[in-house]
Amino acid sequence: MKENYCLQAALVCLSMLWHSQAFALERRSHLRPSFHGHHEKGKEGQVLQRSKRGWVWNQFFVIEEYTGPDPVLVGRLHSDIDSGDGNIKYILSGEGAGTIFVIDDKSGNIHATKTLDREERAQYTLMAQAVDRDTNRPLEPPSEFIVKVQDINDNPPEFLHETYHANVPERSNVGTSVIQVTASDADDPTYGNSAKLVYSILEGQPYFSVEAQTGIIRTALPNMDREAKEEYHVVIQAKDMGGHMGGLSGTTKVTITLTDVNDNPPKFPQSVYQMSVSEAAVPGEEVGRVKAKDPDIGENGLVTYNIVDGDGMELFEITTDYETQEGVVKLKKPVDFETKRAYSLKVEAANVHIDPKFISNGPFKDTVTVKIAVEDADEPPMFLAPSYIHEVQENAAAGTVVGRVHAKDADAANSPIRYSIDRHTDLDRFFTINPEDGFIKTTKPLDREETPWLNISVFAAEIHNRHQEAKVPVAIRVLDVNDNAPKFAAPYEGFICESDQTKPLSNQPIVTISADDKDDTANGPRFIFSLPPEIIHNPNFTVRDNRDNTAGVYARRGGFSRQKQDLYLLPIVISDGGIPPMSSTNTLTIKVCGCDVNGALLSCNAEAYILNAGLSTGALIAILACIVILLVIVVLFVTLRRQKKEPLIVFEEEDVRENIITYDDEGGGEEDTEAFDIATLQNPDGINGFIPRKDIKPEYQYMPRPGLRPAPNSVDVDDFINTRIQEADNDPTAPPYDSIQIYGYEGRGSVAGSLSTLESATTDSDLDYDYLQNWGPRFKKLADLYGSKDTFDDDS
């Protein structure tokens, strides 16, 4: 590295020397006196002479980063009219003039006094002019020129990022593009090779390579396996000067991660799994777990499990736990130790997602054998049937056998069984069971019409282990016997119109009746209807059986009259078809009613003929309502007449002076001049006479004294009030316009206490009135009055 810097310094010196000589030669060859006369007439006939500038240039060059002890010579300005006698003065202006660039005003030499950096500023624009030293008169027009900073290779290449991260699939082909890195050089790309970059790889071989011109990183080895190594660290170098010796360089780090592909099949770590399950296990219970390992990750490592063979395929099942990637073997159906004690399964594990590119790597699945042993358990007894149905005749005597339930112990011990009835299902205790053999018997006669079916539950428990028990439902059907006679299906009632003897009989039945039997259909219909034998020849009515479990009642004669008999009771015998048959006698009520010409019923009451001459029910109700209304009106009238108005009486013991007058207005104190009118105290009504008191009768007339007149508004209020008080005291007939109200008591519990000054004038008060200072301006006078008094007492 030191050798590179020494070589670079030597090149800079040689370049500066060559440029200085070239500039001097160029300036000497062009800046020679070349003024040519040219005459031109002015407006006043004066001949003006315009001289042509004899010095020509456009740009100078200076090397950047010069660190010599003396200022570097940029160039020299020289005019053709400069004879070397020192009369010409050269002036430099523009960018950096006087600070970066200085000129010798005699010789025209321009020097750079500071180190220049092309990367900061590539060129400077200056203005040169030759003037007379004594008069500062311009001898030539000013001329603009450019000083360009000549680039050297002083900036190393820099990458856009200090570190890069890239991904590439594992097992990618050689030359697969991974990422492109880019570096930049601040040097002038148009001058030399200072900015010409070449990329190379310093670390990461032989796995990766980089293109020298583009910076594209590519894979260099085939079949890189993520499972073997997942992450690689690569160092890339960018070097200027086309990569030649002496060039500057920069580096960056690239972290390359191999992404996963499904290139590995799942594999079971063992060939056989041993499991066990209790015969008491219920379906759905977990038996065990198997797991096939797949080094792939993500969806490439997903595995699903299936049972493909074995003698336990019907009893067991397997599901996939995708969180742990395990196969969960579960019980599908109950197993029995006494029936079979071991099962074998063949479980297959396969990838869910298969990449066709790697199908040649082999089948992406694996199989394993799972052996399951059934463990013996103390099982509860087992009934021979899942449920039982028994029958018993109703009304059977207590102790009649209904049926039997049977259970056995499936264990090898074959423990004895004890039976019992669940009394929650037999609250009325209709049945009992033999605890040893399971025979069920009745405890009382049963009635099918009340309960046709009875459902109970029977327990079977091992004698040596009562906790091991089984339960079975038993349904008992109560068989019907013909123990209920048929009855009318409804409370029937017949009606017949009264008529004369000459009117022909109607063929329509008076009423059609049917029967109902609580017994079963086998002991119920068909029903037979008839009249009792003693009235089989009833002269009024007869019964005709319709042979469809109904019968019609007909009249045998006409001429029924309500005045003679308005009600008939007809007994009817109903028999069922049971064995033996049951029968009952039911009474049918037949009423004689009045009908219109069309046979429609009008009235069935015997009193109808008696009430024809009187009033109807509606008329009686209307009359009664009118009477009630009149009574209500009379009662209201009498009540209003008895009411009297109470007179407003002023009792003599009432004292007007004790009346309390409430004003909701709060006065403003002595400062309020508009709160009251003094004229109200002057008693304007009594100016021309006196007003007699209204509460008492005066004994004599009191004439007002002529000297007592209403005082003008300007009179002293104290004198006026005293005069009025004296007048009122001496006049017993004057109304009490002025009265003294006592407010000495503010009530118990008052926080403020009493504000009255009437009592305080005659008694000594020890109250502290300092709080009046906090009550605002309206109590200022009162606060000052009591405060000054306290102050006076304190002073005294």
Side-chain angles (χ1 to χ4, degrees):
M1 188 64 69
K2 293 181 179 179
E3 295 177 355
N4 291 340
Y5 287 140
C6 294
L7 180 60
Q8 180 179 357
L11 291 175
V12 170
C13 294
L14 291 175
S15 176
M16 292 175 58
L17 180 60
W18 181 81
H19 280 290
S20 299
Q21 293 176 356
F23 291 157
L25 292 174
E26 182 179 2
R27 297 301 174 263
R28 294 191 185 99
S29 61
H30 289 284
L31 302 181
R32 303 179 69 84
S34 57
F35 294 98
H36 301 280
H38 181 75
H39 301 278
E40 188 179 43
K41 291 184 178 181
K43 293 181 180 180
E44 298 179 356
Q46 181 181 2
V47 178
L48 301 178
Q49 184 177 8
R50 183 177 65 183
S51 60
K52 183 178 180 182
R53 187 178 63 196
W55 49 309
V56 179
W57 67 87
N58 55 5
Q59 62 183 4
F60 289 141
F61 293 91
V62 61
I63 297 296
E64 70 168 335
E65 304 293 346
Y66 175 71
T67 58
D70 299 326
V72 62
L73 177 63
V74 179
R76 182 183 180 187
L77 301 179
H78 185 73
S79 177
D80 291 342
I81 62 176
D82 186 1
S83 59
D85 54 4
N87 292 329
I88 296 179
K89 180 182 179 181
Y90 295 98
I91 299 175
L92 187 65
S93 62
E95 299 173 346
T99 57
I100 299 176
F101 301 101
V102 296
I103 188 171
D104 189 343
D105 59 355
K106 292 182 179 180
S107 63
N109 291 333
I110 302 174
H111 290 83
T113 61
K114 294 183 179 180
T115 301
L116 303 180
D117 189 357
R118 190 201 66 84
E119 286 70 37
E120 293 182 1
R121 190 162 189 168
Q123 65 181 19
Y124 298 85
T125 302
L126 299 172
M127 191 75 69
Q129 190 174 22
V131 299
D132 187 273
R133 183 176 296 278
D134 297 330
T135 62
N136 283 333
R137 181 178 61 83
L139 300 179
E140 291 184 4
S143 180
E144 184 180 84
F145 66 96
I146 297 174
V147 177
K148 287 190 175 182
V149 182
Q150 191 72 39
D151 182 50
I152 64 172
N153 188 19
D154 60 340
N155 291 282
E158 293 183 358
F159 284 91
L160 299 180
H161 303 283
E162 184 178 355
T163 58
Y164 290 83
H165 296 274
N167 298 322
V168 64
E170 64 173 332
R171 299 188 181 276
S172 297
N173 297 328
V174 176
T176 301
S177 176
V178 179
I179 190 176
Q180 183 178 13
V181 295
T182 304
S184 61
D185 197 318
D187 293 327
D188 189 0
T190 62
Y191 180 77
N193 294 326
S194 299
K196 185 177 181 181
L197 305 181
V198 173
Y199 299 93
S200 61
I201 183 168
L202 300 183
E203 296 181 12
Q205 295 175 331
Y207 305 104
F208 300 95
S209 62
V210 63
E211 292 184 358
Q213 304 301 325
T214 61
I216 298 176
I217 301 175
R218 299 181 183 274
T219 57
L221 283 181
N223 298 325
M224 286 190 293
D225 191 4
R226 184 199 66 84
E227 288 73 29
K229 186 176 182 180
E230 183 176 5
E231 192 173 83
Y232 296 84
H233 299 281
V234 179
V235 178
I236 302 297
Q237 181 190 65
K239 190 174 184 180
D240 59 13
M241 299 299 292
H244 294 95
M245 184 179 297
L248 303 179
S249 63
T251 60
T252 186
K253 294 182 179 180
V254 182
T255 301
I256 301 176
T257 304
L258 298 182
T259 57
D260 184 59
V261 297
N262 190 10
D263 58 340
N264 295 283
K267 292 291 184 182
F268 284 104
Q270 58 195 67
S271 59
V272 178
Y273 284 86
Q274 299 287 345
M275 300 180 184
S276 61
V277 61
S278 173
E279 64 174 342
V282 297
E285 186 173 334
E286 180 178 330
V287 178
R289 293 185 174 224
V290 296
K291 184 175 184 180
K293 296 184 178 180
D294 191 333
D296 296 324
I297 60 175
E299 66 176 14
N300 297 320
L302 294 179
V303 179
T304 182
Y305 298 88
N306 295 288
I307 299 176
V308 295
D309 196 6
D311 56 0
M313 294 182 64
E314 299 297 328
L315 300 176
F316 299 92
E317 62 182 357
I318 189 169
T319 59
T320 303
D321 187 346
Y322 289 101
E323 293 184 359
T324 61
Q325 290 297 302
E326 294 177 323
V328 183
V329 180
K330 296 181 180 180
L331 184 64
K332 188 177 180 180
K333 295 180 180 180
V335 293
D336 186 13
F337 175 80
E338 288 72 25
T339 302
K340 191 171 183 179
R341 303 187 178 186
Y343 296 90
S344 178
L345 302 175
K346 187 176 183 180
V347 177
E348 178 186 78
N351 280 133
V352 178
H353 304 282
I354 299 177
D355 193 341
K357 296 180 182 179
F358 307 100
I359 194 68
S360 60
N361 291 3
F364 285 81
K365 56 185 177 181
D366 193 17
T367 57
V368 70
T369 300
V370 178
K371 293 184 177 181
I372 303 175
V374 179
E375 297 178 348
D376 188 20
D378 189 7
E379 298 176 282
M382 181 179 298
F383 284 94
L384 299 184
S387 62
Y388 292 88
I389 299 178
H390 297 303
E391 296 179 347
V392 62
Q393 293 281 347
E394 70 171 330
N395 300 326
T400 302
V401 175
V402 177
R404 182 188 182 189
V405 296
H406 190 199
K408 66 176 183 178
D409 185 11
D411 298 327
N414 195 15
S415 299
I417 306 299
R418 186 177 184 87
Y419 302 94
S420 62
I421 295 177
D422 184 2
R423 290 305 173 186
H424 293 92
T425 60
D426 185 25
L427 297 177
D428 295 327
R429 297 182 176 270
F430 288 123
F431 305 98
T432 183
I433 189 171
N434 191 316
E436 296 179 357
D437 55 16
F439 280 99
I440 301 173
K441 298 180 180 180
T442 61
T443 60
K444 61 184 70 175
L446 304 177
D447 188 359
R448 190 204 67 87
E449 287 71 35
E450 291 183 0
T451 310
W453 283 89
L454 293 170
N455 297 298
I456 62 174
S457 296
V458 175
F459 290 113
E462 297 180 6
I463 293 179
H464 303 295
N465 187 1
R466 293 295 182 90
H467 297 288
Q468 295 293 340
E469 65 177 9
K471 185 177 182 180
V472 67
V474 179
I476 301 174
R477 179 184 178 185
V478 181
L479 299 178
D480 182 52
V481 296
N482 193 16
D483 57 345
N484 291 280
K487 297 180 180 180
F488 276 155
Y492 294 105
E493 188 175 21
F495 304 92
I496 187 171
C497 295
E498 61 179 350
S499 60
D500 53 19
Q501 296 286 347
T502 60
K503 188 175 181 179
L505 295 176
S506 175
N507 292 327
Q508 296 296 327
I510 299 173
V511 63
T512 300
I513 58 177
S514 62
D516 187 17
D517 196 334
K518 294 182 179 180
D519 292 326
D520 198 3
T521 55
N523 295 314
R526 147 171 123 74
F527 300 117
I528 301 174
F529 301 87
S530 62
L531 293 176
E534 60 272 14
I535 58 169
I536 190 66
H537 301 291
N538 187 291
N540 299 317
F541 306 98
T542 185
V543 176
R544 298 177 186 176
D545 194 334
N546 297 326
R547 299 184 180 276
D548 58 356
N549 298 322
T550 64
V553 178
Y554 296 87
R556 282 188 170 184
R557 66 177 179 85
F560 291 94
S561 174
R562 284 182 291 175
Q563 293 181 349
K564 294 182 179 180
Q565 185 176 352
D566 61 341
L567 184 66
Y568 293 88
L569 299 178
L570 181 64
I572 298 177
V573 178
I574 306 175
S575 301
D576 59 21
I579 300 175
M582 297 287 292
S583 63
S584 65
T585 301
N586 301 265
T587 301
L588 176 64
T589 301
I590 301 176
K591 292 183 179 181
V592 180
C593 303
C595 304
D596 58 10
V597 295
N598 297 322
L601 295 178
L602 293 178
S603 175
C604 295
N605 296 326
E607 298 81 9
Y609 288 102
I610 302 175
L611 295 176
N612 285 338
L615 296 176
S616 64
T617 304
L620 292 175
I621 293 174
I623 293 172
L624 182 61
C626 292
I627 294 173
V628 171
I629 292 173
L630 291 174
L631 290 175
V632 171
I633 293 174
V634 170
V635 171
L636 291 176
F637 181 75
V638 172
T639 303
L640 293 176
R641 288 290 302 271
R642 290 183 178 180
Q643 291 182 354
K644 295 182 180 180
K645 296 183 180 180
E646 296 295 334
L648 299 176
I649 301 175
V650 178
F651 296 98
E652 294 181 356
E653 49 269 25
E654 289 184 357
D655 193 352
V656 178
R657 291 172 296 176
E658 294 178 358
N659 292 342
I660 298 176
I661 302 175
T662 302
Y663 296 93
D664 292 335
D665 251 353
E666 182 179 354
E670 295 180 5
E671 298 177 354
D672 189 359
T673 59
E674 298 179 359
F676 63 91
D677 187 3
I678 193 63
T680 59
L681 299 177
Q682 299 175 359
N683 190 12
D685 296 331
I687 294 177
N688 298 324
F690 65 92
I691 299 177
R693 298 186 63 164
K694 297 180 181 181
D695 53 347
I696 62 174
K697 181 177 180 181
E699 297 179 357
Y700 58 91
Q701 298 293 330
Y702 174 78
M703 299 301 295
R705 287 175 291 178
L708 298 177
R709 295 297 182 190
N713 293 337
S714 61
V715 74
D716 184 67
V717 176
D718 188 25
D719 294 340
F720 175 78
I721 292 177
N722 290 332
T723 303
R724 286 300 185 184
I725 291 175
Q726 184 179 3
E727 180 182 3
D729 291 340
N730 296 327
D731 185 8
T733 63
Y737 286 104
D738 299 324
S739 60
I740 298 176
Q741 305 296 331
I742 304 301
Y743 299 98
Y745 177 67
E746 297 296 330
R748 294 183 179 179
S750 174
V751 177
S754 175
L755 296 180
S756 174
T757 59
L758 298 178
E759 295 181 358
S760 62
T762 57
T763 60
D764 294 334
S765 176
D766 296 330
L767 296 178
D768 184 8
Y769 297 97
D770 291 340
Y771 60 86
L772 295 177
Q773 298 287 347
N774 301 327
W775 283 18
R778 294 188 177 185
F779 295 90
K780 185 175 184 303
K781 293 291 184 180
L782 190 60
D784 293 342
L785 179 61
Y786 282 89
S788 61
K789 179 184 177 189
D790 296 340
T791 305
F792 177 79
D793 294 339
D794 295 339
D795 294 340
S796 60

